[in-house]
Amino acid sequence: MVPDPYSYLPLAPAALHILLALAEEDRHGYGIMQEVARASHDQYRIGPGTLYENLQKLVAGSLIAEVRRRDNVDPRRRYYRLTSLGKRVALSEIDRLEEIFRKAKGHLRPAHVRKP
Amino acid sequence: MMSPIYALLIRLHPEKFRRRFGAEMMAAFEQAAMDGWGVRLLVDGVLSLARQWLKEIDGSSRADQTFGPAGPGYLEILRRRSIEVASRVWRFNAAWATVLILLYAIGNNWPLALNSTRAVIFVLVSLLLILKTSPGLMQGPTETMLALSLKENPRLAQLKIERQQLENSSYFLLLLASMAGVQHVIQLLGGQVNIDTTARVIRLVIVSSAFLAAIPIQVRLQKMHRAAIEVLQTEIDAIRSAQSKDLA
């Protein structure tokens, strides 16, 4: 049976950032940390402790998977890949957030600025 | 300089997590430190340590339901309790909470030193609890916005003092129970490795009496807790009644 991506929501901010960092390509731990910092213009950084705690959960939930790949720079590194389930969960979370933002904008904008 | 400290922090993580992610964490730390991530890496490491142990304790305490003064896990349960306290005091005193977590992790990660660290941990924990109590932790149910406005109530002040004294007695009992484990420190310093029967009996007697003496204290604390709430409720009702009369 295919798991329902909505059953994984809402995602913790760190988990969402990690899934997004892996959307483009497979990355190792520090690669994910760098990508999260880069994508958020250095406004959000996750340390190794937070990163691996989340990787542990995401691997257990099959949202990401470890990839057999040798790293020539540092053999201690392992690579992670977004699974198809992880991709669906990330997209569902983005949809959920978009819906919240859309409603919030509607409530917060002054009445005369709102579209008819 | 940060590298050995971080390696120690990783070493203190629960074994299962450390075996799976320890080497990778260290590699990521080394890269991040070179790129100037700074002290936040150490803070992140300590927080990770706390989260991992809290998760571990949460899982294992559900699996282990046995409890009793003579049970093999009695001091272990006391130790778990210390980290639960740590999670509660984190908001009020992060440094103190960090010390508790580090001590707990040390005791769990070096089996050879387990018994001796167990004793040292509990003597330290108990002394610290007696000497330096966290203000937020000790306020109990009285520390609400409304209670703050009612703190002049003499009955409430009296209850607070009594509660403080009782809790200190409770921690003193914890100290006694800890002293029962001090024999293991002697072992670590080169004493006899085998625990003789007398030592076992002494330990059992101290732990049992501390445990038995703690029961009435707990009961009394619960009664005081309820009394404090009643005092507050009476005052709240009086204020509300006066307000409604004024409005009328």
Side-chain angles (χ1 to χ4, degrees):
Chain A
M1 196 179 134
V2 184
D4 176 12
Y6 286 93
S7 65
Y8 292 83
L9 306 188
L11 288 179
L16 178 62
H17 278 280
I18 292 169
L19 293 182
L20 295 178
L22 292 172
E24 209 173 298
E25 58 177 321
D26 302 345
R27 292 180 200 275
H28 53 72
Y30 187 59
I32 297 172
M33 285 163 61
Q34 282 180 307
E35 177 57 21
V36 170
R38 191 201 61 75
S40 64
H41 305 287
D42 265 345
Q43 287 186 333
Y44 187 68
R45 283 185 172 201
I46 48 176
T50 311
L51 172 73
Y52 285 100
E53 185 198 352
N54 279 281
L55 287 182
Q56 186 185 29
K57 283 185 207 160
L58 294 171
V59 169
S62 304
L63 303 189
I64 62 171
E66 193 187 325
V67 185
R68 296 254 170 241
R69 178 170 154 184
R70 194 176 171 79
D71 189 295
N72 295 325
V73 178
D74 190 336
R76 291 173 298 178
R77 285 177 178 171
R78 294 190 209 185
Y79 282 78
Y80 297 91
R81 174 177 294 167
L82 190 65
T83 62
S84 59
L85 174 63
K87 194 172 180 179
R88 281 188 290 131
V89 170
L91 285 170
S92 307
E93 176 69 354
I94 291 164
D95 287 345
R96 189 185 70 84
L97 292 172
E98 273 179 350
E99 181 63 16
I100 291 171
F101 293 148
R102 195 183 59 75
K103 279 185 184 166
K105 279 179 184 170
H107 290 310
L108 295 172
R109 272 205 186 112
H112 65 274
V113 182
R114 283 184 206 160
K115 286 177 190 170
Chain B
M1 173 60 200
M2 284 204 307
S3 210
I5 300 173
Y6 200 80
L8 179 67
L9 283 176
I10 293 177
R11 178 69 184 82
L12 291 173
H13 277 66
E15 192 181 357
K16 196 176 160 193
F17 179 85
R18 188 178 72 235
R19 282 189 190 283
R20 173 66 183 80
F21 295 110
E24 281 182 85
M25 259 178 92
M26 195 64 210
F29 164 82
E30 285 166 5
Q31 278 290 322
M34 276 197 289
D35 291 350
W37 283 50
V39 182
R40 77 176 71 182
L41 291 167
L42 289 182
V43 176
D44 177 72
V46 172
L47 289 174
S48 163
L49 186 66
R51 285 192 298 259
Q52 290 298 329
W53 276 115
L54 286 171
K55 252 196 318 192
E56 188 86 356
I57 288 164
D58 188 42
S60 58
S61 53
R62 261 187 267 123
D64 178 16
Q65 296 295 323
T66 55
F67 186 82
Y74 181 61
L75 284 178
E76 173 58 26
I77 288 164
L78 285 180
R79 270 189 326 142
R80 282 182 194 167
R81 176 109 180 87
S82 76
I83 203 162
E84 284 163 10
V85 171
S87 68
R88 285 166 60 203
V89 300
W90 190 281
R91 243 165 9 114
F92 309 113
N93 191 336
W96 163 221
T98 307
V99 169
L100 275 181
I101 289 161
L102 286 174
L103 286 171
Y104 182 87
I106 289 166
N108 268 283
N109 272 284
W110 277 280
L112 283 176
L114 183 64
N115 289 328
S116 43
T117 48
R118 174 183 288 176
V120 174
I121 285 166
F122 274 94
V123 172
L124 284 176
V125 166
S126 314
L127 283 173
L128 280 169
L129 282 170
I130 292 167
L131 298 174
K132 175 154 178 58
T133 49
S134 170
L137 185 72
M138 305 308 288
Q139 298 304 323
T142 60
E143 198 62 37
T144 61
M145 287 306 285
L146 192 56
L148 282 171
S149 68
L150 303 172
K151 67 181 174 186
E152 297 307 320
N153 183 313
R155 174 76 183 120
L156 207 63
Q158 183 57 31
L159 278 169
K160 225 170 175 179
I161 293 164
E162 283 179 36
R163 180 190 164 90
Q164 178 81 47
Q165 286 167 347
L166 272 171
E167 292 204 344
N168 283 350
S169 321
S170 184
Y171 293 133
F172 182 70
L173 289 170
L174 185 65
L175 172 65
L176 274 183
S178 316
M179 297 299 280
V182 169
Q183 53 178 309
H184 298 296
V185 180
I186 298 162
Q187 286 171 33
L188 188 77
L189 295 173
Q192 272 193 331
V193 174
N194 294 324
I195 308 164
D196 61 25
T197 317
T198 319
R200 275 178 193 274
V201 171
I202 291 170
R203 182 178 163 194
L204 188 65
V205 167
I206 296 176
V207 172
S208 307
S209 32
F211 178 71
L212 290 173
I215 294 172
I217 287 184
Q218 286 302 320
V219 172
R220 177 87 180 108
L221 276 171
Q222 282 172 3
K223 278 185 185 167
M224 287 182 60
H225 184 105
R226 283 198 291 272
I229 289 170
E230 276 169 24
V231 169
L232 278 176
Q233 195 57 52
T234 316
E235 288 242 356
I236 292 163
D237 292 345
I239 291 169
R240 282 191 183 142
S241 153
Q243 280 173 343
S244 55
K245 272 182 194 165
D246 284 349
L247 283 173

